[in-house]
Amino acid sequence: MANGVSGVSGVKVTVVDGETATGDKEYFFDSSVRYIVVGRDPVACQIVLPESSLADGIGAEHIGFRRSLGRYQVDLNTDLYVEVDGRRPIEDMELNGAHDIRLGKRLRLRLEVIDTRPAPKKIGRQNLQSADLSRRNQRLLTAALVVVAAVAGMVLFTQSRLQDVKTSVDESRRGLEGVSQNVDSLSKTLSFLNEQVDTIPADVLDQVSRSVYLVVKADRLGGEQAQGTAWVTERGMLATNAHVADAFNRLKTGESLWVRSSVPPHASHRVTSVDLHPGFKQFIKLWNEYLPVQRQSGRLDLMRTATPADVAVMKVERPERLAAPLPLATMDELETLRPGIRVAFAGYPSEMLLPGALRQPSPVVQQDEIIRLTNFFMINQPSGNRLIHHGLPITGGASGSPIIASSGKVIGLISSGNFIFAGGRRTVNAADINFGQRLDFLHAMLEDPKGKRAVQYEEEWRAQLAQFESAPEVSATAIRTALASMTGHPAPDDSDVLTGVINLGEDPFGVATRNFSVLLPRSGLYLIRLQAPLLGVSMRANPAEGEPMTPVAMPLPFTTGLPYVMVFATGTSTLSVDVTVQSAAYGDKKSVPSALAVERWPADAASVFVKLLEQSRDFEWNSTRRPVYLSKRTDVDKFNFVNQHYVLPTTVEISRPGMYTFVAIPKAKGALDGVLIENGRPTARDRDRRPLVWLDKMVRRSGKQEIGFVTTSTAPVAQDVYVIYWEKIETNPGEAN
């Protein structure tokens, strides 16, 4: 049927324009297939494209689709061109329903997500009621009174006697020596808290809106595109996010950046320079070098966060004609911020909204409250919580908007939000928890306008990163531990490090590649891995035809943080390995060093490969299946000689639907081809002409049937032949899932 197999959930992929390496036009992967890769690499990909598609911009592993909670998420190779429903997609974009996908210049796919399970009734978000607001404010004022009483030695007063609290503080100051400074600070805190109300006055928001500007980029043809929001701050400058202001540094010939007022006649000011907080790119560098992760179900779950120091100031032409600057909360006032405080923003959100008039912009004004405050690793600290979690409803275009307290003072900047990805687009998560930068970073910039500021927070960030495991370190250890277990050897018996330089030239696709020629001097299992992390890196093994080796790209538990490949060699051979990085990740650098670690582990290919297959499948399927050997034949050497080839047939009778794997491993130097035969015709092939052959087959119908597994070689090479059924492990009713 058009939607795949009746009653089976999964994903159907149809080739609309272009060709695959096998000539197939339709593919269906049921829900047991957790990861689908499309590209030219026949080892790593489930949908294999011809090598000739390289000229059309098709990569070895061009795009991946990862199954999660009944839907599929996109894994992008950011070096390569991809469109989803006519738009450039975003990493982890969620796919549900039908989508049109374009890869490279010519290939077009139709992807349909099929979920035959009944869907639950949707339940909307509950709004906070007025009674809840009242109770919240009552708790807030009570907490302030407790603080005053603790320091000044006063008795706790009720909210209705707030003015008496201030009077008592003054009296206590006269009677308590040595605490005057503390009381003064607490009085300011109480004053700031006292200003917090359930609704920020309209006149305050109107005044803020007049000082908020739309940031637009103009191209050489006169077109314009909204970039974000900026607002007037001290000394005729505008404040915004670093990721918004950085558009100025990426302008091409004929392009320019402008800010535009919402007040008629909507004056525009050309941006002449921008100054990004140095911590913004410093944190990104630290983050990408360390890659903090948490372990989860056999995988390394990369931490995600809002980038700190995402703050910048912009200078413009005719600054004297800008609107009035917005008042800034002091550092003491910032320390008083608490969950429940009413806040608002004014800005220009536009993504997935009806388009506004760029020439006559009108800002959006919204109110909600602070939800929590943490550091940028989502941890609540006793102090220094500079990430504001708030309920302000934002989307793309709001970046850089001021976050306002009820006093009209700016306490932070909108910087990012929680998004979900569906239908080829991102939308704001219904939880309505979004993020802002506390004003600390802007204060630091304004205090040193010459831009010679030291990065104050680097030591703090390094200490916070150290609370998590580093993906490259965890992956390197996990790979070596797995190989030690599979081979029975605690360490490799030989190792080498190959070094080189990747030149970051003017590649039209923004990528740069360094090729390494890796000598494999004798038979064994080789591990080739990146020695140190690089930004936006990928690695690919390119074995030449006829070389006595087989690269194996199978994920092992907790190894997803470092590019690597395993190679089974049955003799001396040479392997070409490409290391590719995104040039843009390195800014103005002309080159970057790289290194490959090459380790040889003494191993019998047959036993190690089957162990590797079991570990990889166990990991991929979350321990829900175990291998059952339907056929295990060793040292088979009885061949049929047909058309100058040695043919070794194996026939297996099956009766259950599910996944089957067919493996042939030569016991001496030689190369194999493999094919599966059903009803007298071939249904799958492995024609890489390398030692190892393995083929997966998904059987969807019940009943007895025969499948032939045939290997061919140009020499009579003895082989181990395995046929494996991946049996589902049933969970007892009393066991937790």
Side-chain angles (χ1 to χ4, degrees):
M1 57 189 289
N3 289 333
V5 179
S6 177
V8 178
S9 298
V11 63
K12 176 183 176 184
V13 182
T14 305
V15 180
V16 179
D17 293 322
E19 299 292 335
T20 62
T22 59
D24 294 321
K25 288 291 188 180
E26 288 192 358
Y27 298 82
F28 181 77
F29 303 93
D30 70 11
S31 58
S32 67
V33 182
R34 314 298 295 184
Y35 198 69
I36 304 160
V37 181
V38 182
R40 304 189 334 270
D41 191 336
V43 175
C45 299
Q46 285 69 42
I47 299 179
V48 183
L49 307 177
E51 194 62 30
S52 60
S53 64
L54 175 64
D56 294 331
I58 298 298
E61 299 174 51
H62 201 102
I63 191 172
F65 304 105
R66 182 177 66 256
R67 182 174 174 84
S68 175
L69 301 179
R71 301 189 178 189
Y72 290 80
Q73 295 176 325
V74 174
D75 276 354
L76 292 175
N77 185 332
T78 52
D79 307 343
L80 306 172
Y81 188 83
V82 175
E83 280 187 7
V84 176
D85 297 329
R87 294 174 177 267
R88 298 302 299 271
I90 302 171
E91 184 72 16
D92 292 334
M93 173 184 291
E94 187 174 283
L95 304 178
N96 185 33
H99 303 274
D100 186 78
I101 299 174
R102 179 183 170 187
L103 308 181
K105 293 181 181 178
R106 307 178 192 277
L107 186 70
R108 191 159 67 90
L109 307 176
R110 181 71 171 173
L111 183 144
E112 299 175 60
V113 179
I114 301 164
D115 195 340
T116 59
R117 301 169 298 179
K121 181 180 179 181
K122 294 183 179 179
I123 301 175
R125 177 191 175 206
Q126 287 187 330
N127 294 316
L128 200 62
Q129 300 301 308
S130 58
D132 299 320
L133 291 170
S134 176
R135 284 192 294 271
R136 180 208 65 200
N137 295 329
Q138 199 167 21
R139 289 194 301 270
L140 183 63
L141 289 171
T142 301
L145 293 173
V146 170
V147 172
V148 173
V151 176
M154 297 167 56
V155 178
L156 181 64
F157 282 78
T158 62
Q159 181 181 347
S160 63
R161 298 181 61 190
L162 188 59
Q163 185 59 45
D164 292 339
V165 171
K166 296 179 181 179
T167 303
S168 298
V169 168
D170 293 334
E171 293 173 354
S172 298
R173 289 171 57 193
R174 291 190 294 269
L176 296 172
E177 295 181 1
V179 296
S180 59
Q181 291 182 348
N182 292 334
V183 174
D184 182 59
S185 176
L186 285 168
S187 295
K188 292 179 180 178
T189 298
L190 188 59
S191 176
F192 186 74
L193 290 173
N194 191 36
E195 294 172 349
Q196 309 310 316
V197 294
D198 288 346
T199 300
I200 298 176
D203 59 337
V204 172
L205 298 177
D206 180 66
Q207 188 60 44
V208 169
S209 298
R210 292 173 172 273
S211 298
V212 172
Y213 285 67
L214 173 67
V215 182
V216 294
K217 183 176 73 174
D219 60 35
R220 59 186 181 85
L221 300 177
E224 292 185 335
Q225 184 178 17
Q227 301 294 301
T229 303
W231 46 278
V232 184
T233 184
E234 299 175 2
R235 298 189 291 277
M237 296 185 292
L238 293 104
T240 187
N241 287 146
H243 75 261
V244 173
D246 202 31
F248 180 84
N249 298 322
R250 299 192 303 270
L251 292 176
K252 299 177 182 177
T253 302
E255 295 180 338
S256 55
L257 198 66
W258 299 76
V259 296
R260 183 166 295 145
S261 172
S262 64
V263 180
H266 305 288
S268 296
H269 301 257
R270 183 168 183 155
V271 177
T272 58
S273 67
V274 299
D275 187 13
L276 278 59
H277 192 294
F280 177 66
K281 292 190 176 180
Q282 179 64 19
F283 181 86
I284 293 173
K285 180 176 182 292
L286 291 174
W287 182 275
N288 287 325
E289 288 174 351
Y290 195 87
L291 295 178
V293 291
Q294 300 181 98
R295 301 183 189 230
Q296 191 174 77
S297 302
R299 297 183 182 276
L300 296 178
D301 185 19
L302 182 65
M303 284 285 295
R304 297 180 183 273
T305 188
T307 304
D310 191 1
V311 172
V313 293
M314 301 191 298
K315 293 183 179 180
V316 298
E317 294 176 344
R318 300 174 298 144
E320 69 281 358
R321 299 186 182 181
L322 291 170
L326 296 180
L328 308 181
T330 66
M331 293 300 296
D332 284 342
E333 289 170 337
L334 293 178
E335 288 295 334
T336 69
L337 296 179
R338 298 290 184 271
I341 288 179
R342 196 71 173 172
V343 291
F345 89 97
Y348 297 93
S350 57
E351 184 181 8
M352 299 292 290
L353 301 178
L354 290 175
L358 296 183
R359 296 287 181 180
Q360 301 178 53
S362 178
V364 170
V365 178
Q366 293 274 12
Q367 298 189 42
D368 209 280
E369 60 186 37
I370 294 176
I371 296 170
R372 65 173 177 169
L373 293 105
T374 67
N375 66 15
F376 286 86
F377 294 87
M378 309 297 168
I379 298 172
N380 187 296
Q381 304 179 128
S383 62
N385 292 317
R386 302 183 187 93
L387 182 62
I388 301 172
H389 305 236
H390 57 79
L392 296 169
I394 64 167
T395 188
S399 293
S401 302
I403 303 177
I404 307 297
S406 58
S407 62
K409 294 182 179 180
V410 181
I411 62 168
L413 293 87
I414 298 288
S415 61
S416 57
N418 279 306
F419 292 92
I420 57 175
F421 301 90
R425 301 185 180 190
R426 70 174 190 172
T427 56
V428 176
N429 191 299
D432 256 0
I433 301 176
N434 300 305
F435 307 106
Q437 313 269 318
R438 211 173 74 169
L439 207 60
D440 307 49
F441 300 109
L442 181 60
H443 274 306
M445 296 190 71
L446 295 175
E447 289 168 5
D448 187 0
K450 295 183 179 180
K452 298 180 180 179
R453 302 166 304 278
V455 180
Q456 306 171 25
Y457 308 111
E458 180 176 344
E459 185 176 339
E460 176 184 322
W461 291 335
R462 287 187 183 276
Q464 291 169 351
L465 280 168
Q467 298 176 69
F468 301 89
E469 293 185 286
S470 169
E473 293 178 6
V474 173
S475 294
T477 301
I479 296 168
R480 291 170 65 94
T481 301
L483 291 183
S485 173
M486 288 187 287
T487 63
H489 295 270
D493 64 356
D494 194 11
S495 62
D496 192 12
V497 176
L498 305 179
T499 60
V501 173
I502 302 177
N503 294 315
L504 306 175
E506 292 296 327
D507 183 90
F509 296 102
V511 298
T513 300
R514 167 65 193 246
N515 176 263
F516 292 87
S517 182
V518 182
L519 175 64
L520 310 179
R522 51 201 172 112
S523 62
L525 172 61
Y526 287 83
L527 170 65
I528 303 172
R529 61 180 175 84
L530 205 62
Q531 178 78 351
L534 294 171
L535 305 182
V537 67
S538 62
M539 189 173 76
R540 179 187 173 182
N542 307 295
E545 183 174 340
E547 290 281 356
M549 72 173 78
T550 300
V552 179
M554 290 186 180
L556 293 169
F558 307 119
T559 62
T560 51
L562 192 69
Y564 70 96
V565 65
M566 290 174 286
V567 181
F568 288 95
T570 57
T572 302
S573 54
T574 301
L575 177 65
S576 172
V577 177
D578 290 336
V579 176
T580 301
V581 298
Q582 301 174 41
S583 301
Y586 292 92
D588 298 330
K589 286 188 176 181
K590 302 299 182 183
S591 63
V592 61
S594 62
L596 290 183
V598 182
E599 301 174 353
R600 178 191 176 275
W601 296 71
D604 172 66
S607 62
V608 172
F609 180 77
V610 173
K611 289 179 182 177
L612 175 63
L613 194 65
E614 292 180 16
Q615 284 204 29
S616 177
R617 282 289 161 79
D618 186 56
F619 164 50
E620 282 294 300
W621 292 358
N622 298 319
S623 303
T624 60
R625 287 167 172 78
R626 58 182 165 227
V628 175
Y629 290 89
L630 302 183
S631 177
K632 183 185 287 188
R633 304 166 64 200
T634 59
D635 296 313
V636 182
D637 59 1
K638 295 182 179 180
F639 305 93
N640 299 325
F641 190 67
V642 180
N643 295 332
Q644 305 300 313
H645 284 79
Y646 292 87
V647 179
L648 181 63
T650 298
T651 301
V652 61
E653 184 179 272
I654 64 176
S655 59
R656 291 183 290 179
M659 177 68 78
Y660 293 79
T661 299
F662 300 79
V663 183
I665 304 172
K667 302 305 291 289
K669 193 172 181 178
L672 304 177
D673 285 343
V675 63
L676 295 182
I677 306 293
E678 293 182 76
N679 299 322
R681 63 184 183 86
T683 58
R685 295 180 183 275
D686 183 344
R687 295 185 292 189
D688 292 330
R689 298 204 60 76
R690 301 182 194 124
L692 288 169
V693 168
W694 81 91
L695 291 161
D696 287 332
K697 175 66 179 176
M698 174 61 73
V699 175
R700 295 189 173 86
R701 62 186 179 89
S702 303
K704 291 185 178 181
Q705 52 189 305
E706 288 188 350
I707 295 181
F709 177 40
V710 180
T711 61
T712 62
S713 59
T714 56
V717 181
Q719 305 165 36
D720 290 346
V721 181
Y722 302 89
V723 180
I724 302 168
Y725 172 65
W726 297 95
E727 181 179 59
K728 187 173 182 179
I729 300 173
E730 298 295 336
T731 303
N732 292 330
E735 293 179 349
N737 291 326

